[in-house]
Amino acid sequence: MAVDVILGLQWGDEGKGKIVDLMSANYDIIARFQGGPNAGHTIIIGDKKFVLHQIPSGVIRPDVINVIGNAVVLDPVILLKEIEQLENHGIDVRSRLLVSRRANLILPTHRMIDACQEKSTSAGKVGSTLKGIGPTYQDKTGRFGLRLGEIHSPDFKGRYERATERHLSILRAMGCSEEVDDAAWWKALDAISSLQLIDAEVYLNDAIKDGKRILAEGAQGSLLDIDFGSYPYVTSSNTLLPGVCTGLGISHKQIGKVYGIFKAYSTRVGEGPFPTELNDADGQMLRDKGHEYGSTTGRPRRTGWLDLVALEYACMLNGVDELIMMKMDVMNELEQVRVATSYTVGGFETGFSALAFESTEEVIPHYDSLEGWNGDIQEVKSYEALPEQAQSYIRYIEGKTGLPIRIISVGPERDQTIMV
Ligand code: GDP
Ligand code: IMO
Ligand code: MG
């Protein structure tokens, strides 16, 4: 048995939560491999809405085991809140949630540094989620990190204090507040210390041997990857396929199907280049109809046309096998649908890397225009029943990417999904 993977192909919020929940009916284990509470994965079931930040999106299904991998960074306060919210809905979390002992902890002072860096003009604003993600990964790679598996060590409190001291000196140098309120953090840490901590790499490799079906759930999206995204306007983890191996401790030989998920248009939260961004009535329509407001921060998401330069780049980097297209219904009212097929900078054609380096010259997208379907597709249940123009849009993207679109999502609910 191999580990299948779902990866966001854009700047996050593609609809991973909905699809992982849907697909988890066919898997024994769902494993999150990177990121932290910067993620917000929404699952809508009837009148219930769940927004998961750190817990994998398989948690709603009672038989599914959910694993948090070593490259995830965890905020105990947010994790405890998530567990309690799910338990309030009658969902048993603790017996089915396994957490890697190697997952790094987000400290209150990591969040303070994140906020301080975002405020400081000299450091340059990324528009982070202010969850302490960047500073926590910095400490991990700097070898200062505190890991969940160390909380019972006799020296843990001392290590925490030394880390906090170091963070306070950073805050002091940046001229930011040094008042730490960590009572809630310690209380939450105590409450989550009874979670099942495991060597997730061993657990998952054993599960593979036992023939268990495993799905790895990505957070953020390919264009926010620390190495290949629109640097420096990215997150601090590896969101791409190799992150599955380093984030769960499995070999590349264990990777099965790679599903790439994208929206029928584009969105982005936070700062950074976005060539196909729309600052007009169509952009506002996409935001309103798509409820494009951050699941984690509530910030309005920037909206724009689908960007095939970026999408093809993400498919290449991840070795995507099959595509999943989300939120097609949001484009119901458009007479014309546009898709960027190339960029030029200073008159010369460039690839996605034009977004990873600051330039004085603007990246200009060039578009193909397709006829819109101009009708409601939210209740459509099959590819054949889609309007001809909607089918053309799907075929057009398949033609450009050379990949099949296997799932088309036409609404937030589980049953608003077309399997092709
Ligand atoms: P994620 O971070 O990739 O899991 O995505 P988010 O949950 O942050 O954002 C996706 C949003 O779109 C959520 O509010 C979903 O409920 C919603 N959604 C998912 N699929 C569809 C769809 O096909 N149509 C519509 N209209 N909404 C969708
Ligand atoms: P999901 O998993 C969309 C963005 C932030 C910011 C940049 C860096 O829900 O798709 P960070 O807090 O990670 O240091 O912020 O990355 N960002 C996301 N945008 N969806 C997400 O997660 C994101 N997680 C981080 O807005 O621009
Ligand atoms: Mg999200």
Side-chain angles (χ1 to χ4, degrees), residues 299-311:
R299 289 177 293 177
R301 294 176 182 149
R302 300 157 66 192
T303 54
W305 299 116
L306 182 65
D307 182 340
L308 279 177
V309 180
L311 190 72

Side-chain angles (χ1 to χ4, degrees), residues 53-244:
H53 301 289
Q54 299 166 114
I55 296 178
S57 302
V59 74
I60 312 299
R61 309 237 181 214
D63 301 330
V64 174
I65 302 286
N66 295 273
V67 173
I68 296 180
N70 52 277
V72 175
V73 290
L74 286 176
D75 185 325
V77 178
I78 297 174
L79 184 57
L80 181 64
K81 206 161 137 201
E82 271 186 271
I83 294 172
E84 287 174 348
Q85 276 172 359
L86 288 160
E87 284 174 347
N88 287 343
H89 281 97
I91 296 168
D92 162 41
V93 182
R94 285 174 180 264
S95 71
R96 297 182 296 115
L97 182 65
L98 309 176
V99 189
S100 169
R101 303 183 326 129
R102 295 170 193 275
N104 274 64
L105 284 164
I106 301 175
L107 310 189
T109 40
H110 284 135
R111 293 180 65 133
M112 290 166 70
I113 295 173
D114 195 359
C116 181
Q117 276 170 348
E118 286 291 289
K119 259 202 311 213
S120 129
T121 45
S122 61
K125 196 171 145 71
V126 171
S128 91
T129 58
L130 301 178
K131 303 292 176 202
I133 303 297
T136 306
Y137 280 113
Q138 279 168 33
D139 273 3
K140 176 183 171 177
T141 51
R143 296 163 295 182
F144 297 113
L146 300 186
R147 294 175 300 168
L148 197 50
E150 294 168 86
I151 57 176
H152 298 300
S153 130
D155 190 33
F156 183 73
K157 187 100 207 247
R159 293 200 54 216
Y160 172 88
E161 276 161 9
R162 287 193 291 280
T164 300
E165 263 318 304
R166 216 172 49 80
H167 293 160
L168 290 177
S169 67
I170 295 170
L171 287 162
R172 214 170 297 137
M174 292 181 80
C176 287
S177 155
E178 296 169 39
E179 235 165 82
V180 186
D181 181 359
D182 57 4
W185 189 87
W186 280 104
K187 209 166 151 217
L189 190 70
D190 186 45
I192 64 159
S193 66
S194 57
L195 287 177
Q196 303 183 62
L197 301 188
I198 59 162
D199 291 320
E201 66 285 12
V202 177
Y203 175 85
L204 290 170
N205 280 286
D206 285 348
I208 293 168
K209 274 194 212 130
D210 290 346
K212 298 276 189 249
R213 297 159 302 171
I214 304 172
L215 179 67
E217 172 181 6
Q220 290 76 54
S222 302
L223 311 181
L224 289 172
D225 178 74
I226 182 72
D227 279 290
F228 294 102
S230 48
Y231 194 88
Y233 303 100
V234 293
T235 191
S236 299
S237 64
N238 288 111
T239 62
L240 300 173
L241 184 71
V244 177

Side-chain angles (χ1 to χ4, degrees), residues 3-7 33 214-216 241 244 255-260:
V3 177
D4 294 337
V5 183
I6 292 201
L7 299 165
F33 63 89
I214 304 172
L215 179 67
L241 184 71
V244 177
I255 301 291
K257 274 251 156 68
V258 180
Y259 298 100

Side-chain angles (χ1 to χ4, degrees), residues 312-389:
E312 286 177 47
Y313 184 65
C315 289
M316 173 190 83
L317 292 170
N318 291 307
V320 170
D321 295 307
E322 297 184 0
L323 292 169
I324 299 172
M325 181 159 76
M326 307 300 289
K327 303 191 90 160
M328 202 174 178
D329 56 298
V330 174
M331 299 174 93
N332 278 346
E333 287 166 17
L334 292 165
E335 306 256 332
Q336 287 285 314
V337 177
R338 300 177 82 200
V339 181
T341 54
S342 64
Y343 302 155
T344 50
V345 177
F348 294 99
E349 190 164 338
T350 68
F352 179 83
S353 66
L355 308 194
F357 294 91
E358 301 275 4
S359 157
T360 46
E361 294 199 75
E362 201 187 341
V363 176
I364 300 177
H366 300 272
Y367 293 99
D368 275 355
S369 245
L370 287 88
E371 213 185 317
W373 40 98
N374 215 349
D376 191 357
I377 57 169
Q378 276 217 325
E379 300 314 320
V380 173
K381 301 286 178 230
S382 72
Y383 174 82
E384 292 72 27
L386 283 168
E388 177 50 37
Q389 298 90 335

